[in-house]
């Protein structure tokens, strides 16, 4: 991320489908915010980082299994040119 100063980086937080929609949205935003803060503390310019919580709206695996839940709890980075 330190080498990507010509880019904007979106940090997307995701959850599994367990829990209420509101809870999952808040949890995913907290996850994304924590990663953003971690990167800022290590010298990545804050201006190029955004944190977005998607809750359970973008599952990688829609199954209702522990394996699927594990896949869906994640943080993703999207890098875009400024």
């Amino acid at each position: 991320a330190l080498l990507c100063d010509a880019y904007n980086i979106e940090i997307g937080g995701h959850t599994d489908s367990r829990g209420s929609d509101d809870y999952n949205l808040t949890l995913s935003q907290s996850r994304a915010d924590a990663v953003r803060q971690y990167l800022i503390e290590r010298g990545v310019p804050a201006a190029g980082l955004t944190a977005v919580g998607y809750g359970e709206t973008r599952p990688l695996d829609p199954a209702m299994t522990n394996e699927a839940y594990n896949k869906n709890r994640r943080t993703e980075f999207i890098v875009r040119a400024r």
Side-chain angles (χ1 to χ4, degrees):
L2 287 170
L3 301 175
C4 295
D5 60 347
Y7 298 90
N8 289 317
I9 300 172
E10 177 186 294
I11 304 157
H14 302 268
T15 65
D16 61 36
S17 61
R18 297 176 292 179
S20 71
D21 291 347
D22 288 340
Y23 175 80
N24 285 337
L25 192 58
T26 300
L27 177 60
S28 65
Q29 185 65 54
S30 294
R31 285 182 178 157
D33 289 338
V35 171
R36 182 178 185 273
Q37 187 60 40
Y38 176 88
L39 293 172
I40 291 168
E41 289 171 2
R42 275 139 190 89
V44 178
L49 299 173
T50 57
V52 180
Y54 290 103
E56 61 189 79
T57 63
R58 297 181 177 188
L60 293 177
D61 186 342
M64 300 291 205
T65 64
N66 285 332
E67 184 178 322
Y69 297 147
N70 291 337
K71 287 180 188 176
N72 293 328
R73 289 189 306 267
R74 68 193 188 282
T75 303
E76 294 180 326
F77 297 91
I78 298 172
V79 180
R80 295 184 178 103
R82 288 188 185 177

